[in-house]
Amino acid sequence: MAASSSPYVTLISNDGFEFIIRREAACVAGTIKKMLDPQSACALPFDVHAHAVIYTMRVTILTSQNNHSGVVLEKVCEYLYYNLKHKDEKDVPDMEIPPELCLELLMAADYLHV
Amino acid sequence: MASSTTQGSDLWSNNMSSTTSDTLESIISATTLDLFTEFQEPTESSGDPTVPQLPSLVASTVNRKRDRDEYLASSSDTPLFSSDDLPASSAENYYGPRVKRQHRRPWYETEESWKTVPVPPSAKKPRMRGPFKRAHDSGVWLGSDESTENEEVDRQDAVRRALRVMESGASIDDDDDEDEELWHEDERELDLGNKVHASNQTLEEKLQQALVNKALQITEDPGGFEGPVFPYWQKQPGHLMGFHLVQEQAQKKVALCVEQGEEVIDLSTRYMQQIRTPTLRPLRYHTKIVPKQGKGNRYQSLTPALRLYLSNNLLEEVPGEVFHLKNLEVLSLRSNNLTEILPSVGELNSLKELNLGSNQLNWLPWELLGLLHANLKKCMIYPNPLIRPVPSTWNPAPSRKFESGEPCQVASTRIAFLDITGASFRHWPPAPSSLPEHWPEPQADDEFLGPPPEERTKTPSLLELALRACKRSPQLSQLPFLIPENCPEHLTKLVQKTWILKEAGGKSCSVCGNEYIIPRTEWIEWWYCIPEQGLRGQLDNLLAMHGMPVPLLRRGCSWACWQENASPLIRGWSSATLPGGLKEERAFPRKVQTSPTRRTIPPSGRMRQ
């Protein structure tokens, strides 16, 4: 259970990019939260590593080109921090999303439930 | 040379304005103008034939000073261009703005020429032969010597008659219509492409050519519909015709209305299941046509008061283009298959009459209240399967405000919190739009199962943000086809929904006013807002007094967007923020007022049994 107390989570995209983000940011995404919750049915089998490593394979499968999954995951991580930052604000500015990424992000958001 | 000088002096004495080079020389010698000598150098070599004569400068140089009378008569300069010489252009003769003449036909059919052509049938004047027309042929006219003009006109008439027989199939015995139809037939002739006037073909050849042209027009109709092919000039009921044909007719009708400035657009009873965007798009540019001449109406608004009738069709959704028509004053959607009115209807601020009867509507958009506050005077919503409030949610004491015309709320459902895709959670109240008919009657001890407070944030979800990015994309219509096949199906539906929303102009949150795509909160409020309408209620006397309250669906853009003052349990009253700048007030006083009229109202306990 040492891994669950780690304050950071590593997200790895299919094309090999690793994103190390804070656990509370990662828990904004419903799917990741379930994975990290040891009580949950779909919890990840934690190993002895310090970081919980989540392979976002499903995301990359759904995107049309696997080469770009790192770009998509980067945007997802940006959103997770954006959500954390503006949690209690009333006037939230929209996050910029480039139009070429909108479909990929749509599928990633649906999978990650965020 | 001496004779030439005498001629020059004669000219000088006779008319000073027209000068020759000789007179100029004499002037130069008399008045030694330094400036002028520079210009005079070419005239000294006036023997050179290539040099043109100088323009007359004498009048302006000799009479340099104006007479006093002339000076007082007009303060402006002498006209430089011919158009400056109009009497209306000087300030003294100014009588007002000139009404610009408007012609809706080419120059060769203006005024005198076209006035003579369509003789009213009642006048029975001898027909004007040979009005001025533009010849559309090559310009070569090879008439034989024997053919007179009358014969030519008679031949034209024969062809016209034949054409009329071919097109309408009616008899042409009645001569009264002839003159009227002459006007239309001129247009038809232009369409046919070969002018009868200019061709030397026989009658049979012309008829054959006309038939070929008609056949070409029919085959040029867009294909894609199956079934019997009707000639395009025969009127057929819409359900027998193909989709494209109906759309094309509607498009023609709209184009005609826009061209003629007609403000009533009647597209009713056409059995249309949908109306394409390009069909209604020209109505955006509809402008009123100001009458040609008229006193006192020089300044007229060009804003039309559009009246759009889409009743008696098979529409399942309101065409999105309708919501862009800001000048719409009357909109009739009666007798369609509508199940939902988009909140974009709130954009139609100049709407005065709205007819939504005979549809499949379970609720109306909450934005209707804003319309009622703006201009909407007449709103017909019955018959429709509108949801009724559960009696236990009923507030027993409607305020007197409604009697004075102000809308007031009488009941509301629980607030349903929806997940990021817009679906309701299992254990939370279902979305009112998902289960309209089996509305669960809430219990007083019902536990409110809303989201935990820390999740009630206004931050949009990533799915929402991605959809907003899709909405901004110019290729939105193609995006559903770009989604991979192994993708969940609801994503495709979401993108399609975004497309519909974009066409209708988007929707804004009923609480905070932000634009959104996926609703996150949803509830229905019942309002008394439409007085004196339709059915008398059957629930009790209260309803009989006020008619039925209208269910209005409200949606919020985030889990933080719901009425903060509303308690988790249903209450019949709450302070509502009204759209359109209505005051934020409690719609209901808690105490029953003891006015004489109120005594007929049953006590609250009886109603809440």
Side-chain angles (χ1 to χ4, degrees):
Chain A
M1 281 297 126
S4 64
S5 62
S6 164
Y8 292 98
V9 169
T10 303
L11 306 181
I12 303 177
S13 74
N14 233 19
D15 50 353
F17 289 94
E18 293 187 10
F19 298 92
I20 302 171
I21 60 173
R22 293 186 64 87
R23 176 181 288 266
E24 51 185 346
C27 283
V28 169
T31 309
I32 300 179
K33 189 180 179 184
K34 273 185 194 169
M35 287 176 175
L36 293 179
D37 186 8
Q39 311 296 328
S40 166
C42 52
L44 286 181
F46 287 111
D47 51 10
V48 291
H49 294 305
H51 293 177
V53 178
I54 297 171
Y55 295 92
T56 57
M57 288 178 61
R58 178 81 185 282
V59 179
T60 53
I61 287 169
L62 288 176
T63 51
S64 51
Q65 288 179 326
N66 286 346
N67 297 336
H68 295 317
S69 62
V71 185
V72 177
L73 194 57
E74 184 188 7
K75 208 68 190 169
V76 169
C77 293
E78 188 186 332
Y79 171 78
L80 294 178
Y81 272 102
Y82 159 86
N83 191 311
L84 200 67
K85 185 184 168 191
H86 298 290
K87 212 171 182 73
D88 299 323
E89 291 181 20
K90 286 205 167 175
D91 290 325
V92 188
D94 267 14
M95 197 179 77
E96 288 296 319
I97 289 183
E100 63 270 16
L101 279 183
C102 62
L103 270 193
E104 274 86 356
L105 276 176
L106 190 72
M107 291 180 281
D110 183 60
Y111 168 63
L112 291 174
H113 205 84
V114 62
Chain B
M1 192 64 187
S3 64
S4 66
T5 50
T6 53
Q7 282 177 3
S9 62
D10 285 343
L11 277 172
W12 170 253
S13 59
N14 287 334
N15 47 352
M16 286 171 53
S17 59
S18 67
T19 60
T20 61
S21 60
D22 293 335
T23 58
L24 277 177
E25 276 180 16
S26 62
I27 290 158
I28 299 309
S29 60
T31 67
T32 55
L33 283 175
D34 291 339
L35 272 174
F36 211 65
T37 47
E38 292 177 10
F39 290 101
Q40 272 314 110
E41 282 177 6
T43 58
E44 286 172 4
S45 62
S46 63
D48 192 351
T50 57
V51 178
Q53 284 185 352
L54 273 181
S56 73
L57 291 168
V58 176
S60 58
T61 50
V62 174
N63 286 340
R64 183 159 279 190
K65 271 193 172 181
R66 285 189 188 121
D67 290 340
R68 183 170 173 78
D69 290 341
E70 186 196 351
Y71 183 76
L72 284 179
S74 139
S75 63
S76 55
D77 290 326
T78 50
L80 184 61
F81 300 106
S82 63
S83 62
D84 288 344
D85 210 4
L86 288 173
S89 61
S90 64
E92 284 80 7
N93 295 324
Y94 185 77
Y95 58 88
R98 279 182 280 177
V99 178
K100 192 171 182 178
R101 289 184 295 176
Q102 292 180 335
H103 299 302
R104 300 184 63 80
R105 44 184 62 81
W107 61 270
Y108 50 85
E109 290 175 354
T110 52
E111 298 290 331
E112 292 77 14
S113 58
W114 63 263
K115 267 181 189 165
T116 56
V117 177
V119 182
S122 60
K124 272 294 182 184
K125 288 177 186 172
R127 192 188 299 164
M128 301 291 288
R129 302 259 182 212
F132 173 67
K133 281 184 196 168
R134 181 182 166 196
H136 286 267
D137 61 338
S138 62
V140 180
W141 163 247
L142 296 173
S144 66
D145 290 335
E146 288 80 17
S147 70
T148 61
E149 190 187 350
N150 283 338
E151 276 182 14
E152 181 59 33
V153 173
D154 288 341
R155 197 186 298 167
Q156 286 180 34
D157 285 348
V159 174
R160 279 177 191 145
R161 279 164 192 268
L163 282 177
R164 206 179 308 148
V165 170
M166 191 180 66
E167 290 190 353
S168 63
S171 67
I172 51 160
D173 293 333
D174 43 350
D175 284 335
D176 291 346
D177 299 336
E178 241 178 49
D179 288 327
E180 266 189 70
E181 288 185 11
L182 185 66
W183 172 247
H184 300 291
E185 280 166 9
D186 286 344
E187 297 170 359
R188 282 180 210 160
E189 279 181 10
L190 295 185
D191 287 340
L192 286 180
N194 50 349
K195 184 92 171 173
V196 188
H197 180 86
S199 63
N200 272 335
Q201 296 168 344
T202 62
L203 184 61
E204 289 79 11
E205 281 171 354
K206 285 166 192 163
L207 276 175
Q208 199 171 359
Q209 182 65 39
L211 277 173
V212 167
N213 281 332
K214 292 291 175 195
L216 281 178
Q217 285 186 12
I218 293 167
T219 50
E220 277 168 5
D221 277 344
F225 65 91
E226 289 148 15
V229 181
F230 294 102
Y232 80 103
W233 60 86
Q234 285 184 14
K235 292 224 167 187
Q236 290 294 330
H239 63 275
L240 290 178
M241 302 170 75
F243 170 77
H244 291 285
L245 220 48
V246 182
Q247 291 288 326
E248 199 183 343
Q249 282 191 355
Q251 202 160 356
K252 277 179 187 168
K253 172 88 179 174
V254 168
L256 196 71
C257 287
V258 171
E259 190 186 329
Q260 297 180 344
E262 182 65 51
E263 292 180 337
V264 178
I265 299 108
D266 191 356
L267 296 178
S268 56
T269 326
R270 286 174 183 259
Y271 302 96
M272 287 185 286
Q273 286 184 348
Q274 55 164 309
I275 299 179
R276 291 182 301 182
T277 307
T279 307
L280 292 176
R281 179 60 64 88
L283 289 181
R284 281 200 204 182
Y285 316 110
H286 193 296
T287 41
K288 208 181 205 166
I289 290 185
V290 180
K292 208 172 177 185
Q293 298 279 348
K295 292 174 183 175
N297 54 359
R298 277 181 185 144
Y299 300 106
Q300 275 194 343
S301 167
L302 290 174
T303 310
L306 291 182
R307 305 162 69 91
L308 181 58
Y309 295 96
L310 298 174
S311 50
N312 248 329
N313 281 304
L314 301 168
L315 298 176
E316 284 167 6
E317 55 191 22
V318 186
E321 192 63 28
V322 170
F323 301 121
H324 292 280
L325 303 174
K326 308 288 179 203
N327 302 323
L328 207 57
E329 289 200 353
V330 176
L331 174 62
S332 175
L333 294 163
R334 197 175 181 85
S335 297
N336 281 296
N337 292 334
L338 302 174
T339 53
E340 187 181 3
I341 305 287
L342 285 178
S344 316
V345 77
E347 301 292 318
L348 302 173
N349 275 324
S350 51
L351 205 60
K352 286 179 181 164
E353 247 187 89
L354 178 65
N355 195 335
L356 299 172
S358 290
N359 279 300
Q360 305 299 317
L361 298 170
N362 290 314
W363 62 85
L364 299 172
W366 188 71
E367 283 71 14
L368 201 66
L369 279 184
L371 285 185
L372 283 165
H373 184 250
N375 280 318
L376 193 58
K377 298 283 180 296
K378 213 172 164 187
C379 182
M380 280 151 284
I381 54 171
Y382 297 108
N384 264 315
L386 297 174
I387 311 173
R388 292 180 181 182
V390 183
S392 63
T393 70
W394 192 251
N395 190 298
S399 71
R400 300 180 65 82
K401 280 205 298 185
F402 181 63
E403 290 162 12
S404 63
E406 265 189 69
C408 64
Q409 185 187 345
V410 287
S412 72
T413 65
R414 314 169 69 177
I415 292 158
F417 291 88
L418 313 175
D419 71 355
I420 57 166
T421 59
S424 54
F425 286 106
R426 267 173 305 170
H427 53 286
W428 287 348
S433 55
S434 62
L435 284 174
E437 281 159 17
H438 314 286
W439 196 248
E441 189 162 342
Q443 303 299 315
D445 52 352
D446 229 356
E447 194 185 353
F448 178 65
L449 298 169
E454 65 268 14
E455 288 189 18
R456 294 178 188 178
T457 168
K458 277 194 69 64
T459 318
S461 70
L462 184 59
L463 196 76
E464 168 88 21
L465 286 173
L467 279 178
R468 285 182 198 174
C470 289
K471 192 183 162 196
R472 285 193 295 268
S473 161
Q475 289 96 22
L476 178 58
S477 54
Q478 284 111 45
L479 284 185
F481 306 107
L482 295 177
I483 297 179
E485 284 181 3
N486 55 357
C487 208
E489 209 173 290
H490 64 264
L491 285 185
T492 318
K493 283 181 184 168
L494 279 180
V495 177
Q496 282 167 351
K497 198 176 148 196
T498 311
W499 183 17
I500 294 173
L501 261 183
K502 189 182 183 180
E503 287 214 322
K507 57 183 175 181
S508 55
C509 172
S510 69
V511 179
C512 67
N514 289 341
E515 290 257 331
Y516 72 101
I517 291 166
I518 305 175
R520 302 298 302 276
T521 55
E522 201 173 81
W523 70 99
I524 284 181
E525 294 175 353
W526 280 273
W527 286 72
Y528 279 135
C529 56
I530 301 173
E532 302 290 327
Q533 281 295 323
L535 299 177
R536 290 297 179 190
Q538 296 137 14
L539 287 184
D540 52 30
N541 291 336
L542 195 69
L543 292 178
M545 274 178 60
H546 291 283
M548 285 288 285
V550 182
L552 301 175
L553 185 74
R554 286 189 72 168
R555 281 171 167 161
C557 66
S558 71
W559 279 356
C561 284
W562 50 291
Q563 284 189 350
E564 293 180 4
N565 294 334
S567 92
L569 287 177
I570 302 164
R571 283 195 188 166
W573 60 272
S574 57
S575 68
T577 50
L578 296 179
L582 284 183
K583 285 178 190 172
E584 185 172 337
E585 268 187 292
R586 275 194 175 172
F588 273 85
R590 280 187 158 183
K591 287 183 179 175
V592 178
Q593 297 187 6
T594 54
S595 62
T597 54
R598 289 283 164 209
R599 286 184 184 151
T600 57
I601 300 173
S604 60
R606 191 179 134 196
M607 289 188 58
R608 286 193 166 179
Q609 284 167 6

